[in-house]
Amino acid sequence: MLSLTPEQLMLAALVIPYIAAVLIPLCWRVPNIREGVTLVAAVALATVVWNLYPHVIDGARPEIVGFSVAPGLDFAFKVEPLGLLFGLVASTLWVVNSVYSIGYMRGNNEPRQTQFYVCFAVALGATIALAFSKNLFTLFIFYELLTLSTYPLVTHKATPDAFKAGRVYLFMLVGTSMVLLLPAIIATWVFAGTLDFTPGGIFADKVSPVLMGGLLVLFIFGIGKAALMPGHFWLPAAMVAPTPVSALLHAVAVVKAGVFTVLKVIVFIFGIETLAEAGTGAWLLWAASFTVLTASIIALRQDNLKKRLAYSTVSQLSYIVLAAAILTPISAIGAAMHIAGHAVAKITLFFAAGSIYTAAHKTEISELNGIGWKMPWTMTAFAVGSLAMIGLPPTAGFFGKWFMLSAASTTQDWLVIAVIVLSTVLNACYFLPIIIRAFFREPEKVVAGHAVGAQYAGHNDDHGEAPWPIVVALTVTASMTVLLFFFPSVPFNLAQLMVAG
Amino acid sequence: MIDLQPHLPILQVVIPLLGSLLTAFIRRGTLSWLVTLIVTWTLPFIAVALFLQVQAAGAPIYYKLGNWEAPFGIVYKVDVLSAFMLCLVSGAAAVIMPFARKSVASEIDSHQQSWYYTMYLLCLAGLLGIIITNDAFNAFVFLEVSSLSTYVLIALGRHRRALVASYQYLIMGTIGATLYIIGVGLLYLLTGSLNFDDIAARLTSDLVWPLEPLLAALAFIFVGLSLKLALFPLHVWLPNAYAYAPSFATVFLAGTATKVAIYLLVRVMFEVFGVALTFDRLPVAEILIVLSVAAMFIASFSAVFEDNAKRMLAYSSVAQIGYITLGIGLFNQAGLTGAFAHVANHAVMKTALFLALGAAFYRIGSVRFSDLEGIGRRMPLTMGALVIAGIGLMGTPGTAGFISKWYLAMGALEAGSWLLVFLIVASSLISVIYVGKLVEVMWLRAPSPAAAEAKEAPLSMLVPLLLLAAATIYLGFDTRLTVDIGNQIATLLLGGLK
Amino acid sequence: MMEALQKFATHYNYFVTIFLMVAGLYIVIARGNMIKKLVGLSLFQTSVYLLYLSPGKIVGGTAPIYDGAYQVYANPLPHVLMLTAIVVGVATIALGLALAVRINEAYGTVEEDEIFSKDGEI
């Protein structure tokens, strides 16, 4: 335990990533020290955030008010349970991901590693600040910073494909946030007179149901990071980035920032009860259901492993939106649980994909025959992650679906139940074949010119596991996926506190 | 020793005028630069002193030239609005001076450098004069002083196109100024006065004025000044003038020249004619809003398809002027606040952007995209600052541009127009495209042969640039300098509503 | 009809002003030769002198000399203003012509379309 006040811890959490971002370029000549900075920062950040946990459980809600940008428009931070949960997930996984990054970036001899680590630290800093934001205004600042700081990571490979993806990424994320989210925030400010996240929402008696429905549209589609269709194109595009980026940012930090914002807006701006009474939020159930199913179907047809994972993410994110849209406290708990559960599981899957790429230079699912025996750790971890995606015990993915189903059955939302059941089947359909392929198919024989779809002439089937940092990282996250099933108390407690207000 | 305190308003104009005289007699460029530096670094102090004086007094300061009483002699008037503009223009002129020495030395023939600084100081004196004077005809004279020297500043660009650009600007600018003076003439024939306050007082007196000549005067002044401030579609002179002018001229003009024309238009519209006459009798608001929106979109699209970075930013300027005029066209508290906040914010960001391009031009002698490829890694600080200013231009939260956009959108909501809110945010989306293009070309592509040779810009160029980049961020959080003052200006201007 | 004619007759100076104004502006827009454009511009500016000066004329008025012999004075202010405007106009035309000379040196022509064809549309 650090003997710091919650406010000090909070300040430390907000500042540590940026200190790292300054120190990393100063040490660019000595890669070992440079990576050391990242690791130390990640561990320090995780320690600090975990130290906040007992305080928050005890009821502390530390606040830092920076300054007023305009009267009533504060640059301010406040730790509340949902934000802390998100902060815990992001900071903990940053530690694992840093280990993994080092293995991956060195294993693949990636260029511009200094820039990579700097942007990564800034992105993490933005994530933590976003999680701890006290009001929509502060959140919006870091929402955009997150987009901008991840843009160099998406275009890291500097190929024409990467540029194209970068343009899609920037245009879709900045575009939706500017054109839809910003007007929504300004309108909220004008109508409600405040942007503070308030338990129970700030719209009651101030905004008519119709306008509330309109604002909800703006908010939901404006938060492009939540990847609700048709605003999801940026996510598959972002897969050109190096795998550590896809793993931590495009499976955890960025996309979870999106659904986190959705949750925050629904719970603390609209207010669950206010929105349920207004009745103009019902369309969200349909939109989310549509995305869950459509994204799963698209995922089925992807042969590129990372693309399939990306569409799976799109689908899983909409679970969370769906859970929030049921508009009951239990479903909100489910949403929060799924943020944690999906994070550890999806990062495991991406780690595995990157591990395969590093060791075997393979990117397509059709090339993976028999790879399970060569890379047992990787593929076992992949299997664990897959189970979590499907929502089977004993993995973390189980709880989210469980709470959603129980909430849906109390509100008798048959649509939701049907969607969850159907999508579970679809999840199984696109994950299980990979595992079957990896473990129960004979590897293709090496013949001259066989490498259809292989991008590297030097690739052969004579490989073992990936470098050890990668294996360690994915083993840790896979274990976390399982452990979170047996010890769900941390996310559960925080989720309960969030709903309790 | 005379007490200078009451003479500060006239010093604001006289010092650069004398300075220009002095530099005209100096042969050596560096010495001229030093004189100019001293002059321009004195002015912001005077401007700030005036501003504080106005704030303390809570009422405008009047300065009677030659002690002639108001409607007969020329009177200078410093109120919140003009003090704000004085600070802005003199501040911009001072900040960029360190950049001038090497940039001018590399782009202007040595025997012309002194003249160049003479023109710069004349231009500055003209702009400050427009701001501070309370006399319609005096404003015209200052307008022409600044314009004529601007034409020279532009014509000295390296490329022969600079001559044509300057010539075209001369034609357009003279037409604009002449239209303005025609409008003033009509006003004078009608009211018999040239003093802004006096005209306003006479117009609001009990006398019944014939409406048609009054509206004709307003229309002439509106169109004339729209030419000077490059309101779409009267902006055609601007892209070439900015693109082919020497770097230093562009840097200076981008932040100040059009803003001063906007200021003069606002003065005439709100203070002389008054809100009631301007906006009720003529569809000025509608015209302004439609043209502003057109500027925001069409000029932004033109920017996207440019392959010359300076021209791209020039088109972006036209679009950004659209934001300002949009806020003026809304004529409500939030809209005007946003407009004047953006006058300052845009000056900061655009000056930074052009400074960065000027530094690049100093190193590689070109601002075409094909030559700028990959320059980011060779000049990381310069281009890093450029990225920050560019992000500000996009209106990203946490930067100055966001604050302007916030208030403009609030003004649109106040006016009850969701459509305008969406148009404002949608047009800033186009700026994402061209800023993104700039970033992609400079940072992500492999260095071009020209860029591969480049080194980081010299310190004298870096310091003002980094200062302005920092200001872009700072003004995104601390809005006392922009929004609070903008608010005061809006209250002042709308005071005529009653 | 009579009324309109009367109006025209009493306000003929304005019509001359407007004619000069429009003619000057037309030349600026319609001519491609840079010298001719400047001539048009000069004409356009000249109309302003007329606009200011002609109403300043009072029939029977004299220069404002303070003397008991004279009762009616013409307003001197427009004349002073136009003196300034003439100076500005001369400076503008001089600068414009100087630019035209430099353009001629650089391009070998002062015809706008030829210049554009040499440099591409700018």
Side-chain angles (χ1 to χ4, degrees), chain C residues 28-90:
Chain C
V28 174
I29 295 165
R31 294 295 136 187
N33 184 304
M34 288 183 160
I35 308 288
K36 287 183 182 169
K37 267 178 184 292
L38 287 173
V39 172
L41 198 65
S42 185
L43 212 54
F44 183 49
Q45 287 181 310
T46 309
S47 72
V48 178
Y49 311 154
L50 214 53
L51 175 75
Y52 274 74
L53 293 179
S54 58
K57 167 73 183 168
I58 293 175
V59 181
T62 67
I65 300 164
Y66 189 69
D67 191 287
Y70 307 107
Q71 298 299 320
V72 187
Y73 304 120
N75 186 351
L77 190 60
H79 300 80
V80 179
L81 296 179
M82 282 312 103
L83 218 53
T84 317
I86 288 168
V87 172
V88 169
V90 167

Side-chain angles (χ1 to χ4, degrees), chain B residues 390-476:
Chain B
I391 286 172
L393 205 62
M394 282 159 45
T396 313
T399 62
F402 177 71
I403 301 296
S404 335
K405 207 164 63 178
W406 178 274
Y407 278 91
L408 286 175
M410 255 173 59
L413 265 190
E414 236 175 70
S417 174
W418 276 94
L419 178 67
L420 275 181
V421 176
F422 283 110
L423 288 174
I424 291 170
V425 291
S427 69
S428 64
L429 195 57
I430 309 174
S431 64
V432 176
I433 303 179
Y434 61 72
V435 172
K437 184 174 157 189
L438 206 60
V439 172
E440 191 186 302
V441 165
M442 290 184 172
W443 280 97
L444 302 176
R445 295 193 188 268
S448 69
E453 306 285 306
K455 296 193 300 244
E456 187 56 87
L459 199 64
S460 60
M461 294 187 169
L462 267 181
V463 169
L465 177 58
L466 294 179
L467 214 63
L468 288 171
T472 306
I473 303 283
Y474 179 77
L475 292 176

Side-chain angles (χ1 to χ4, degrees), chain B residues 11 13-25 35 39 121-122 125:
Chain B
L11 284 177
V13 182
V14 165
I15 291 179
L17 268 180
L18 291 179
S20 71
L21 213 58
L22 200 57
T23 51
F25 286 107
V35 171
V39 168
L121 285 177
L122 266 182

Side-chain angles (χ1 to χ4, degrees), chain A residues 3 41 51 53 79 115 132 150 201 249 299-300 302 308 313 337 352 372 391 407 423-425 429 468 488 499:
Chain A
S3 56
N51 270 293
Y53 173 69
V79 178
Q115 178 194 316
F132 290 172
T150 46
L249 296 176
L300 264 180
Q302 301 293 325
R308 185 175 287 192
T313 306
M337 296 292 287
S423 73
T424 303
V425 174
C429 288
W468 66 266
V499 179

Side-chain angles (χ1 to χ4, degrees), chain A residues 67 69-70 75 112 115 137 140-141 144 148 151 155 163 167 171 174-175 178-179 182 186-187 189-190 218, chain B residues 377 391 394 396-397 402-403 405-407 409-410 413 418 421-422 425 428-429 432-433 440 444 477 479:
Chain A
F67 44 84
V69 171
F75 184 71
R112 296 184 289 282
Q115 178 194 316
F137 173 72
F140 189 56
I141 293 178
E144 295 289 35
L148 296 177
Y151 170 75
T155 53
F163 290 149
R167 278 176 225 149
F171 193 72
V174 176
M178 271 193 183
V179 176
L182 179 59
I186 294 177
W189 168 246
V190 171
L218 291 181
Chain B
R377 294 185 182 284
I391 286 172
M394 282 159 45
T396 313
F402 177 71
I403 301 296
K405 207 164 63 178
W406 178 274
Y407 278 91
M410 255 173 59
L413 265 190
W418 276 94
V421 176
F422 283 110
V425 291
S428 64
L429 195 57
V432 176
I433 303 179
E440 191 186 302
L444 302 176
F477 288 103
T479 59

Side-chain angles (χ1 to χ4, degrees), chain B residues 112 137 140-141 144 148 151-152 155-156 159-161 163-168 170-171 174-175 178-179 181-182 184-186 188-189 194 220 240 244 311, chain C residues 14 21 25 28 34 37-38 41 44-45 48 51-52 55 75 77-78 81-82 84-85 88 91-92 95-96 99 102-103 106-107 112 115-116 118-119 122:
Chain B
Q112 285 175 332
F137 198 85
F140 164 75
V141 175
E144 284 295 27
L148 286 169
Y151 308 144
V152 179
L156 288 176
H159 199 282
R160 62 179 179 178
R161 284 183 183 184
L163 294 169
V164 183
S166 170
Y167 177 86
Q168 285 179 326
L170 180 134
I171 297 286
T174 307
I175 292 176
T178 310
L179 290 176
I181 201 61
I182 291 171
V184 169
L186 291 175
Y188 175 62
L189 293 182
L194 287 169
F220 270 114
N240 286 326
Y244 298 114
R311 246 174 91 103
Chain C
Y14 289 107
M21 209 179 274
L25 206 53
V28 174
M34 288 183 160
K37 267 178 184 292
L38 287 173
L41 198 65
F44 183 49
Q45 287 181 310
V48 178
L51 175 75
Y52 274 74
N75 186 351
L77 190 60
L81 296 179
M82 282 312 103
T84 317
V88 169
T92 310
L95 180 59
L99 280 174
R102 291 288 310 278
I103 289 171
Y107 289 84
E112 257 182 357
I115 289 167
F116 291 155
K118 283 191 178 181
D119 258 348
I122 65 167

Side-chain angles (χ1 to χ4, degrees), chain A residues 150-305:
Chain A
T150 46
Y151 170 75
L153 295 171
V154 171
T155 53
H156 186 86
K157 292 215 161 95
T159 57
D161 273 352
F163 290 149
K164 220 174 123 201
R167 278 176 225 149
V168 173
Y169 185 79
L170 199 63
F171 193 72
M172 291 231 32
L173 285 185
V174 176
T176 49
S177 69
M178 271 193 183
V179 176
L180 304 172
L181 183 55
L182 179 59
I185 294 176
I186 294 177
T188 305
W189 168 246
V190 171
F191 293 127
T194 174
L195 290 175
D196 281 355
F197 293 120
T198 314
I202 55 176
F203 278 169
D205 308 328
K206 284 180 185 160
V207 179
S208 70
V210 177
L211 183 61
M212 217 187 283
L215 284 177
L216 188 65
V217 173
L218 291 181
F219 270 118
I220 297 298
F221 288 106
I223 302 167
K225 290 195 168 87
L228 198 68
M229 282 183 173
H232 69 285
F233 292 104
W234 63 270
L235 186 55
M239 291 301 135
V240 296
T243 305
V245 177
S246 309
L248 185 57
L249 296 176
H250 299 122
V252 182
V254 174
V255 290
K256 292 300 182 313
V259 285
F260 170 77
T261 311
V262 170
L263 266 181
K264 280 281 239 193
V265 165
I266 289 182
V267 177
F268 296 112
I269 295 291
F270 285 90
I272 293 179
E273 283 172 17
T274 319
L275 196 58
E277 277 167 26
T280 39
W283 62 271
L284 187 55
L285 277 181
W286 292 89
S289 305
F290 174 79
T291 306
V292 168
L293 293 179
T294 316
S296 294
I297 292 167
I298 298 175
L300 264 180
R301 304 168 54 87
Q302 301 293 325
D303 189 34
N304 182 298
L305 183 54

